[in-house]
Amino acid sequence: MMASFFDQFASPSYLGIPLIALAIVLPWAIYPTPSSRWVSNRLITIQGSLINRFVSQLMLPLNMGGHKWALLMASLMIFLLTINMLGLLPYTFTPTTQLSLNLGLAVPLWLATVIIGMRNQPTAALGHLLPEGTPILLIPVLIVIETISLFIRPLALGVRLTANLTAGHLLIQLISTAVLVLLPIMPTVAALTATVLFLLTLLEVAVAMIQAYVFVLLLSLYLQENV
């Protein structure tokens, strides 16, 4: 029973070919592509307005050097949001429940922000490792602690996204299994459990959107420290 609960997180394959690449690429097909016409349809207009509003809020605390990341941040936000939302549909696979994928996104982007800081302002980047006014005796300890916290950042990004989505999917499957088991025995309790399942699904929709936003927001904060 416990093994079957975790089967939903196994990467699907067909004829020995892993389908995770297909699950990552196909969500892009549901978004309309902007046309060259002067007047666009309502869907493209709403999509462009939402993206512009998100990018303007995200780039607000950054200087002009950080605005070069606007396209990357917006694309990453749309990518994570789409995959997280589609993963809530029945009989679908959520690639962002895989720690390898999340770390594959978090580590290179975090490393890019660190490299930019070391190249553009090495003194300020290294200054984050030692807060101003630190007592002399605490300097070696604080440098070690700040260095460890710096290298934990990409791990925290990947684990946070994986853990939140995995926990939500497991809760949904556990409660839905309880509904099916209780339905022929205690219909009233099953109806109450189904209500809880509906509310939990709404919560997971919110979690899917919030976690995508938090992932991109933390990356923008890391970028803000280094530009």
Side-chain angles (χ1 to χ4, degrees), residues 60-72:
L60 191 60
L62 299 177
N63 57 22
M64 293 304 297
H67 290 185
K68 299 176 182 178
W69 287 61
L71 178 60
L72 178 61

Side-chain angles (χ1 to χ4, degrees), residues 15-218:
L15 298 178
I17 302 174
L19 300 180
I20 186 172
L22 195 62
I24 293 174
V25 173
L26 279 184
W28 290 105
I30 69 175
Y31 286 97
T33 55
S35 63
S36 57
R37 299 176 180 177
W38 285 9
V39 180
S40 301
N41 58 35
R42 291 185 179 90
L43 186 59
I44 294 180
T45 303
I46 293 173
Q47 174 184 305
S49 176
L50 291 176
I51 292 176
N52 289 336
R53 183 178 296 272
F54 166 74
V55 171
S56 63
Q57 291 294 326
L58 192 66
M59 297 290 113
L60 191 60
L62 299 177
N63 57 22
M64 293 304 297
H67 290 185
K68 299 176 182 178
W69 287 61
L71 178 60
L72 178 61
M73 294 292 188
S75 302
L76 182 62
M77 174 67 182
I78 295 172
F79 172 72
L80 292 176
L81 180 61
T82 307
I83 287 182
N84 292 350
M85 296 294 288
L86 291 179
L88 294 173
L89 297 176
Y91 303 105
T92 56
F93 171 67
T94 312
T96 45
T97 57
Q98 306 294 313
L99 184 60
S100 56
L101 174 65
N102 296 333
L103 288 180
L105 293 173
V107 172
L109 293 174
W110 164 82
L111 188 60
T113 62
V114 174
I115 292 175
I116 287 176
M118 291 295 184
R119 186 187 66 179
N120 295 340
Q121 44 182 10
T123 304
L126 293 175
H128 291 303
L129 301 179
L130 185 63
E132 188 177 357
T134 304
I136 297 177
L137 295 177
L138 295 180
I139 287 178
V141 179
L142 278 180
I143 290 178
V144 173
I145 292 175
E146 291 295 333
T147 304
I148 293 174
S149 66
L150 177 66
F151 284 97
I152 283 179
R153 284 180 175 182
L155 182 62
L157 277 178
V159 171
R160 180 187 295 107
L161 183 58
T162 304
N164 281 281
L165 296 180
T166 302
H169 283 66
L170 281 177
L171 280 175
I172 289 177
Q173 186 169 1
L174 284 170
I175 297 179
S176 60
T177 304
V179 172
L180 293 177
V181 172
L182 293 173
L183 189 58
I185 305 173
M186 293 179 286
T188 306
V189 179
L192 294 175
T193 310
T195 305
V196 174
L197 177 62
F198 175 73
L199 296 176
L200 179 63
T201 304
L202 294 181
L203 177 63
E204 285 305 311
V205 171
V207 168
M209 294 187 290
I210 290 171
Q211 288 304 316
Y213 177 72
V214 167
F215 191 94
V216 178
L217 179 64
L218 289 176

